[in-house]
Amino acid sequence: MNKKGFTLIELIVSITLVSVILVSLLATLVKLKQTYEVIDEDSDIRIFSASISRHINNDIINNKGITKASCNEEGNICDIKLRNGEERQLKIYTLSLNGTKAIKDSNGNIIRYERTDTSTVSYYDKKTNKQSFLRTIEQENIQNKDQNRVTTRGYKFTGLSLEQHSYDNKKDTTKQDILSILTIHVSDETYNIKLYSTDTVKKTDGTQTPNPPVTGLACTSGNTTLTQGSKYIRGSYEYRYKQESFWTRIQSNQYSWNNISTDGWGVRIVDLSSTTPITDEICATIDGKPIVSTSHMFINSKATSIDVSSLNSSNVVNMESMFDGAEATTINGLNKLDTRNVTNMELMFYNTKISTLDLSSFDTSKVTNMNNMFRNTRATTGYARNSAEANKFNALSTPHKPENLKFTAK
């Protein structure tokens, strides 16, 4: 029998084939591991969210619901009064386990900084001074050597917010139903934890009063010192400290930032050309400082729809050209905007495409500039919070408002 061994070429081909198979298997294993880690973390946060929601909701229900609640401006503490007289405090906080540790290469050069934090939600009985519920999770933060960019592994509790909405009681017109929504915001926005309570109270003035959010999502920029122009980007939005956005047609129709003296942040969207609906939650405070300007926030945006229902605008003074030229046919949350401190609404809805303007939360008592506020808008129906506001809007003449746009009290 003639026995013949493998030739060199056959061996090379065989080794190559085996290598390709091994690389493919390795890639598959890595992908499976990554998928498992995502599912595992996904499962953890669902368990955390469910346990927190169940415990606090049960306590609220057992004590007959919320009668009064308020959150601080930083968005990390909410005081809650329950109907049977019990008082609670909902609080989130982050603590560093080991401080910031410098990681060096073999030559002793710093390549990054690492820190492990614990993120905690606490539900506290104020009368007995006892912790009613406590949940803590860990998060790893990695900063580059310049400490201006942070990569986060894991998730944490990022803020608390309270919304209260009032509705006419259908059985008794002298009363109104108050819906309270407490939200514990998680860094993975998909799993924000919402706690609901309803209460019926007697009307104080005989009319339904819109209640915009009391506070909102508290964000942290990571800047050790805030200077004018400090930038923070989160989701679809860019924020600048003590600056507001404006549009300059002289420089080829571009955004620019203008310095302001008000102690807070201006906000605008990052990508004007994207047609994707804008639904990201908007920071109410960043490093404890509020949003003070939404000037040119969505100017010429191509997004098909915009949602501003999460915007806490109670400190905003300038809404000039906020929706100027926006392509969106739907803008959700207009009826929740708090405009009591706004002084400038010039061109706010210029050339917008929506058919209805629900401005039933708008208080324009401080507004001094409404020039061209509704010019060229396609809207034909408008709602105001009362007859006085409706009359003010309707009194605007062309070009400030199209003749076929009529406002009525809602």
Side-chain angles (χ1 to χ4, degrees):
M1 177 180 287
N2 184 23
K3 294 184 179 180
K4 184 180 179 182
F6 290 106
T7 65
L8 180 59
I9 294 176
E10 288 172 334
L11 284 172
I12 293 174
V13 171
S14 299
I15 292 171
T16 302
L17 288 172
V18 171
S19 299
V20 170
I21 292 171
L22 288 174
V23 169
S24 179
L25 285 172
L26 181 60
T28 301
L29 289 172
V30 170
K31 190 172 182 179
L32 285 172
K33 182 177 182 295
Q34 291 172 341
T35 302
Y36 171 78
E37 289 173 349
V38 169
I39 293 173
D40 186 49
E41 183 172 314
D42 191 68
S43 177
D44 283 346
I45 195 169
R46 283 180 182 272
I47 293 170
F48 278 126
S49 300
S51 64
I52 294 168
S53 178
R54 182 171 60 252
H55 182 94
I56 300 177
N57 270 319
N58 285 344
D59 182 66
I60 291 172
I61 293 169
N62 291 337
N63 290 287
K64 310 304 181 184
I66 297 171
T67 58
K68 187 177 181 181
S70 61
C71 300
N72 63 355
E73 283 297 323
E74 291 73 24
N76 64 341
I77 298 175
C78 291
D79 290 308
I80 305 164
K81 188 171 183 178
L82 303 175
R83 175 155 291 284
N84 68 347
E86 294 291 321
E87 294 183 13
R88 303 286 188 262
Q89 186 174 86
L90 182 62
K91 181 180 180 181
I92 63 168
Y93 52 91
T94 299
L95 297 175
S96 178
L97 290 181
N98 55 11
T100 301
K101 180 181 179 181
I103 306 301
K104 300 178 181 180
D105 61 18
S106 58
N107 296 320
N109 300 315
I110 296 175
I111 55 176
R112 68 180 184 275
Y113 298 87
E114 293 183 359
R115 187 182 76 247
T116 301
D117 296 338
T118 58
S119 181
T120 301
V121 58
S122 164
Y123 191 59
Y124 187 81
D125 188 326
K126 295 181 70 175
K127 284 189 174 182
T128 61
N129 293 324
K130 290 183 179 180
Q131 199 82 257
S132 176
F133 180 77
L134 188 72
R135 175 68 71 187
T136 299
I137 55 180
E138 287 190 6
Q139 178 190 44
E140 185 181 50
N141 298 286
I142 301 174
Q143 295 177 314
N144 67 358
K145 62 181 180 180
D146 298 321
Q147 296 200 41
N148 59 8
R149 190 182 76 243
V150 179
T151 301
T152 300
R153 294 176 180 172
Y155 51 89
K156 68 176 180 177
F157 306 115
T158 59
L160 298 173
S161 65
L162 168 69
E163 293 182 50
Q164 290 182 302
H165 305 276
S166 59
Y167 305 90
D168 285 329
N169 187 282
K170 293 182 179 180
K171 293 183 178 180
D172 187 344
T173 57
T174 66
K175 296 179 179 179
Q176 60 185 11
D177 299 320
I178 305 296
L179 171 64
S180 299
I181 307 173
L182 275 166
T183 304
I184 303 172
H185 301 275
V186 184
S187 55
D188 185 333
E189 295 178 9
T190 307
Y191 300 104
N192 288 341
I193 305 163
K194 292 189 180 295
L195 313 167
Y196 296 89
S197 174
T198 56
D199 191 28
T200 301
V201 298
K202 189 171 183 178
K203 291 182 180 179
T204 56
D205 59 359
T207 60
Q208 181 177 336
T209 304
N211 292 285
V214 175
T215 186
L217 178 62
C219 300
T220 303
S221 70
N223 295 317
T224 54
T225 303
L226 286 179
T227 58
Q228 195 157 41
S230 293
K231 182 170 68 172
Y232 174 61
I233 294 178
R234 183 181 187 276
S236 299
Y237 296 101
E238 177 181 347
Y239 305 82
R240 294 287 184 102
Y241 180 60
K242 283 193 175 183
Q243 288 187 331
E244 64 185 8
S245 175
F246 72 101
W247 190 261
T248 171
R249 290 178 171 80
I250 296 176
Q251 299 174 2
S252 304
N253 292 337
Q254 293 180 356
Y255 267 139
S256 295
W257 290 95
N258 184 45
N259 288 342
I260 57 176
S261 58
T262 311
D263 189 13
W265 297 76
V267 56
R268 72 183 190 193
I269 61 167
V270 175
D271 188 355
L272 290 176
S273 62
S274 174
T275 59
T276 303
I278 302 172
T279 59
D280 291 330
E281 195 161 14
I282 306 168
C283 297
T285 59
I286 306 170
D287 299 326
K289 305 292 185 180
I291 304 301
V292 296
S293 176
T294 58
S295 171
H296 299 85
M297 187 172 178
F298 301 102
I299 187 170
N300 296 335
S301 166
K302 304 299 181 185
T304 55
S305 67
I306 296 170
D307 190 338
V308 292
S309 58
S310 65
L311 172 61
N312 183 342
S313 56
S314 58
N315 293 285
V316 173
V317 295
N318 187 5
M319 288 186 173
E320 179 185 355
S321 293
M322 184 173 176
F323 302 101
D324 184 341
E327 294 289 331
T329 54
T330 302
I331 301 178
N332 295 316
L334 281 178
N335 61 333
K336 294 184 178 181
L337 293 181
D338 185 343
T339 65
R340 75 187 95 171
N341 289 308
V342 177
T343 60
N344 186 2
M345 290 184 177
E346 182 177 9
L347 292 164
M348 185 174 180
F349 298 102
Y350 173 66
N351 205 28
T352 50
K353 307 299 188 293
I354 55 178
S355 59
T356 300
L357 289 171
D358 187 348
L359 311 186
S360 55
S361 67
F362 276 39
D363 178 348
T364 62
S365 57
K366 292 185 180 180
V367 178
T368 59
N369 186 355
M370 286 186 176
N371 290 336
N372 299 297
M373 182 175 175
F374 304 110
R375 184 173 183 174
N376 289 352
T377 179
R378 293 184 187 176
T380 56
T381 303
Y383 296 104
R385 71 190 184 111
N386 54 39
S387 297
E389 291 286 359
N391 292 337
K392 184 185 291 188
F393 293 144
N394 287 328
L396 295 174
S397 59
T398 305
H400 303 282
K401 182 182 75 67
E403 292 183 1
N404 61 343
L405 171 58
K406 303 298 181 184
F407 283 88
T408 58
K410 190 172 184 179

